Amino acid sequence: MAGIDSSALPRINVLESFTETPEPLDFVLPGMIAGTVGALIAPGGAGKSWFALEIAIALAGGPDFLGVGIRQTGDVLYLSAEDPALALSHRLHTVSYAVRDVAADISAHLEIVSLMGRVVDLNQKAWSDAIKKMAKGRRLVILDTLRRFHCADENNGGEMAALLGILESIAGDTGASILFLHHAGKGSVLNGGGDIQQASRGSSVLTDNVRGGQINLAGMTETEAKNYGVADRGSYVRVVQSKVNFGGRSLDRWLQRAEGGLLVPVSLDAAQRDQQPQSGRSRRERGNA
């Protein structure tokens, strides 16, 4: 290993920070500033891929189905290592009714790459260099799921710290934020703790060391379903910003699965009177809205 040139390490101008107002923080998503790494944690089947795709569409200039509140749009790279290309196409077609007027704009700013069947390992320089090249000029890069982008032991804190270091290097060199999707631990889900910061599977490094924040998706419990008078609790997912390093929590809300799996915000008071979310209307009604 070559020697480290400590003089080349960036220094903060302390006096300037005291005397001049820094430029505003650039929020890519609520709680996530540009050039940081964040996590989306959820058990299998909770809808994390749909949630991530809806974020990607909104950032690329399309409808904000989740009501995230996008401050600035830009180019998005979605790297899907779990789903086949045809399934991704079907998922996109599900929302075609809502993007007719901006479909061309979205396609110009959203690139989706199916990596299913490939052994991707960010610890190999060839792969880290390839993803860094693809990340240049992007506002957000989504990795679905993290387990498919390395061959290390996710319970090993040192190995996970090294993996996060690679992601942070890609983010720092390109200016892109990186959101990785990761599974929640079985224990946390079974114990009703899927919405807490420590719900992430594997080493706590995957939670403690991310500076772009952590978003959790948790299914509705039997107790919650009873309290809200909901019969089909499997149709509801709760979003929780379990870790926020910059800004405040603004994403916490209930979502309901609509047509094809699309997640839409829902008021549970309204849901008790009408089990169909707004996006569950007929295609004709949607087209006239």
Side-chain angles (χ1 to χ4, degrees):
M1 180 178 178
I4 297 174
D5 181 8
S6 61
S7 64
L9 299 176
R11 265 71 172 177
I12 303 299
N13 189 322
V14 177
L15 180 59
E16 182 179 284
S17 297
F18 281 142
T19 58
E20 299 183 20
T21 302
E23 63 183 75
L25 293 175
D26 179 12
F27 283 92
V28 176
L29 296 172
M32 171 184 275
I33 60 175
T36 59
V37 178
L40 172 59
I41 309 298
K48 56 183 175 293
S49 292
W50 255 118
F51 188 93
L53 181 59
E54 290 178 48
I55 283 177
I57 290 173
L59 271 171
D64 185 2
F65 296 111
L66 295 167
V68 171
I70 302 299
R71 298 188 181 186
Q72 179 182 331
T73 59
D75 291 344
V76 181
L77 173 66
Y78 193 123
L79 300 177
S80 176
E82 285 195 335
D83 294 318
L86 182 58
L88 295 169
S89 294
H90 274 269
R91 199 167 288 168
L92 288 168
H93 189 70
T94 299
V95 299
S96 60
Y97 70 88
V99 302
R100 291 177 186 138
D101 295 337
V102 291
D105 292 334
I106 295 172
S107 64
H109 297 285
L110 173 59
E111 182 177 9
I112 301 177
V113 180
S114 176
L115 296 172
M116 183 180 177
R118 299 178 183 273
V119 181
V120 183
D121 188 357
L122 281 165
N123 288 296
Q124 295 182 8
K125 190 174 185 301
W127 271 112
S128 62
D129 285 349
I131 292 178
K132 181 181 292 187
K133 182 178 180 180
M134 287 190 287
K136 287 182 178 179
R138 312 287 183 167
R139 186 151 177 80
L140 180 68
V141 176
I142 297 173
L143 307 182
D144 185 4
T145 61
L146 183 65
R147 176 70 266 184
R148 297 296 188 111
F149 285 83
H150 69 90
C151 299
D153 179 2
E154 65 182 16
N155 292 303
N156 185 304
E159 293 184 10
M160 290 302 96
L163 178 64
L164 282 179
I166 293 172
L167 293 178
E168 289 172 342
S169 175
I170 294 173
D173 290 347
T174 63
S177 289
I178 297 177
L179 179 68
F180 66 80
L181 279 57
H182 190 54
H183 290 282
K186 291 182 180 179
S188 63
V189 176
L190 292 174
N191 294 327
D195 58 347
I196 64 174
Q197 183 175 320
Q198 293 75 22
S200 177
R201 189 179 69 187
S203 170
S204 60
V205 166
L206 294 175
T207 289
D208 297 338
N209 288 22
V210 295
R211 304 303 293 170
Q214 178 175 309
I215 302 170
N216 290 43
L217 298 183
M220 180 180 284
T221 65
E222 291 184 10
T223 300
E224 289 169 335
K226 183 177 180 180
N227 290 340
Y228 290 115
V230 170
D232 182 16
R233 66 185 180 94
S235 296
Y236 293 86
V237 177
R238 186 156 52 93
V239 184
V240 179
Q241 283 187 275
S242 59
K243 181 181 182 184
V244 180
N245 296 109
F246 308 98
R249 292 171 54 163
S250 62
L251 289 180
D252 295 11
R253 67 197 60 184
W254 282 102
L255 304 174
Q256 187 176 11
R257 300 178 196 276
E259 183 179 347
L262 182 74
L263 296 172
V264 293
V266 64
S267 167
L268 284 175
D269 289 335
Q272 293 173 35
R273 296 190 300 269
D274 180 4
Q275 290 296 312
Q276 293 297 323
Q278 185 177 0
S279 63
R281 297 175 297 170
S282 69
R283 291 185 181 274
R284 177 176 297 178
E285 289 176 320
R286 284 191 301 242
N288 294 333

